[in-house]
Amino acid sequence: MMQTTMDLEFHYPQIDDASWAAPLLRSAGRMGCEYSFTTMFMWRMFYHNRIARWRDTLFISAGEEDPVYLPPVGPSLYEGVGFLLERTGRKGQALKLVGADATVVERLEEAFPGRFQFTSQRGDFDYIYRTEDLAQLPGSAYHSKRNHIAGFSRKFDWSYEPISDRNTAEVEAMATEWCRQKGNCRDKGLKTENCAIREVLRNREALSVRGGLIRVDGRVAAFTFGSPINDRVFDIQVEKALPAYPGAYAVINREFASTLGEYAFLNRENDLNIEGLRKAKLSYHPAMILEKYTCTQIK
């Protein structure tokens, strides 16, 4: 197991951390949205996400008084988890790992047989799609989506463009308008997201963020953005469309997917057990639903 003479020093992730943490996350080859540095950065204050580094291993925690951890990212999962077991043991706490996929669960059970209990919640599972499917909407399965887009095109004069310095202010204004229409951002999660959208858009290059928008008669009606999880999977972090433009979600989804051909898969994250969101994500026919587990140390 990993041995150190000092404890880890966790801190809230900052923009500068992307230069070293994002490559480590990508090298892990995991598909869950938790392994996108941008996602972790966006929600750092809401979930109290913190990171620490020991040599070539990245540790990620969430929560304040009784934190949980992602499975460490580095050369040896065994050593990384072993160090966390020692760390939480010194504090009299049971180690709890979250966001573990089936492969990590199998490796944990091999390395620490009988030491962890594994549980899952359906609302935490990620929806993974073939990029080609979302870009082309092929066959009868996507007939209704093509109809939505056709109806949108008949009703509106629209165009697509990538998010850039030239239009960032307009995207931010649309995000604020969307939030206003959803209750004026009284919901803490929506308020956090709205602030995070501005922060991410203004640091797109450092965060490896790409995005696109739809204009209707010159006005930004929808936008989306995301960043890579690894070389095969791109994470869609935000997608918004104003209610006055029915069908805009289908259009921005397809148009942006069409620009991401170098990635085999798109992760559109989880549904939080929200029935309408689950129905919408299933309607795009995911290639897989990524099961994720909480791994709790048995004391």
Side-chain angles (χ1 to χ4, degrees):
M1 293 185 188
M2 182 181 294
Q3 301 290 329
T4 75
T5 58
M6 58 180 289
D7 197 4
L8 296 172
E9 296 184 4
F10 282 88
H11 65 276
Y12 285 102
Q14 302 299 315
I15 292 292
D16 291 347
D17 290 316
S19 62
W20 64 267
L24 284 176
L25 289 165
R26 291 180 196 177
S27 69
R30 297 171 190 168
M31 300 183 77
C33 63
E34 296 87 354
Y35 294 93
S36 161
F37 180 85
T38 304
T39 296
M40 179 172 55
F41 175 81
M42 282 184 67
W43 293 97
R44 66 193 186 283
M45 303 309 295
F46 189 82
Y47 293 111
H48 300 285
N49 299 328
R50 297 181 176 91
I51 62 175
R53 183 177 188 176
W54 178 257
R55 295 177 181 168
D56 290 329
T57 299
L58 171 64
F59 296 89
I60 304 166
S61 72
E64 291 189 284
E65 295 182 4
D66 189 12
V68 298
Y69 301 84
L70 262 67
V73 171
S76 172
L77 181 68
Y78 173 74
E79 288 191 349
V81 172
F83 180 71
L84 288 178
L85 283 168
E86 291 182 6
R87 184 177 195 267
T88 53
R90 291 194 300 270
K91 299 175 182 292
Q93 301 169 336
L95 175 61
K96 184 178 289 187
L97 302 172
V98 298
D101 61 23
T103 300
V104 171
V105 166
E106 182 179 351
R107 292 172 62 193
L108 276 174
E109 186 57 25
E110 280 184 10
F112 304 95
R115 297 282 301 277
F116 289 94
Q117 178 182 9
F118 305 105
T119 58
S120 65
Q121 294 188 28
R122 176 65 175 78
D124 292 334
F125 296 174
D126 284 359
Y127 292 77
I128 313 288
Y129 305 83
R130 291 184 183 87
T131 305
E132 184 178 15
D133 287 346
L134 296 193
Q136 298 184 6
L137 302 176
S140 59
Y142 292 99
H143 178 73
S144 65
K145 301 300 181 187
R146 296 195 301 273
N147 280 345
H148 289 320
I149 294 171
F152 183 87
S153 297
R154 286 192 299 269
K155 188 172 183 179
F156 301 111
D157 179 17
W158 66 273
S159 61
Y160 173 85
E161 63 192 67
I163 292 177
S164 66
D165 291 343
R166 181 175 58 83
N167 55 37
T168 296
E170 293 175 276
V171 175
E172 292 176 8
M174 198 222 95
T176 298
E177 174 60 18
W178 183 93
C179 200
R180 186 191 67 78
Q181 294 186 27
K182 293 290 183 178
N184 207 27
C185 279
R186 283 189 293 269
D187 178 85
K188 183 180 179 182
L190 291 182
K191 184 176 181 179
T192 299
E193 182 186 52
N194 194 48
C195 293
I197 287 170
R198 292 197 301 271
E199 190 173 33
V200 168
L201 288 175
R202 296 173 187 184
N203 293 279
R204 294 189 314 281
E205 184 175 356
L207 295 171
S208 300
V209 164
R210 290 165 59 177
L213 62 86
I214 296 294
R215 288 188 186 275
V216 173
D217 297 326
R219 180 190 184 191
V220 176
F223 75 91
T224 186
F225 65 72
S227 62
I229 296 175
N230 56 54
D231 291 341
R232 299 183 70 238
V233 186
F234 189 92
D235 187 35
I236 305 295
Q237 275 120 13
V238 173
E239 185 180 86
K240 304 289 184 191
L242 293 175
Y245 303 98
Y249 276 109
V251 175
I252 190 63
N253 189 323
R254 184 194 66 177
E255 294 299 302
F256 189 49
S258 298
T259 72
L260 299 171
E262 68 267 41
Y263 298 96
F265 298 100
L266 301 182
N267 183 327
R268 294 182 58 80
E269 302 193 348
N270 52 40
D271 62 31
L272 301 174
N273 283 324
I274 299 172
E275 183 177 353
L277 192 56
R278 179 170 297 175
K279 182 178 179 181
K281 290 180 184 288
L282 288 172
S283 73
Y284 277 95
H285 307 288
M288 69 184 82
I289 297 177
L290 183 67
E291 298 184 11
K292 296 184 290 187
Y293 298 85
T294 297
C295 315
T296 306
Q297 180 188 2
I298 300 172
K299 298 288 282 186

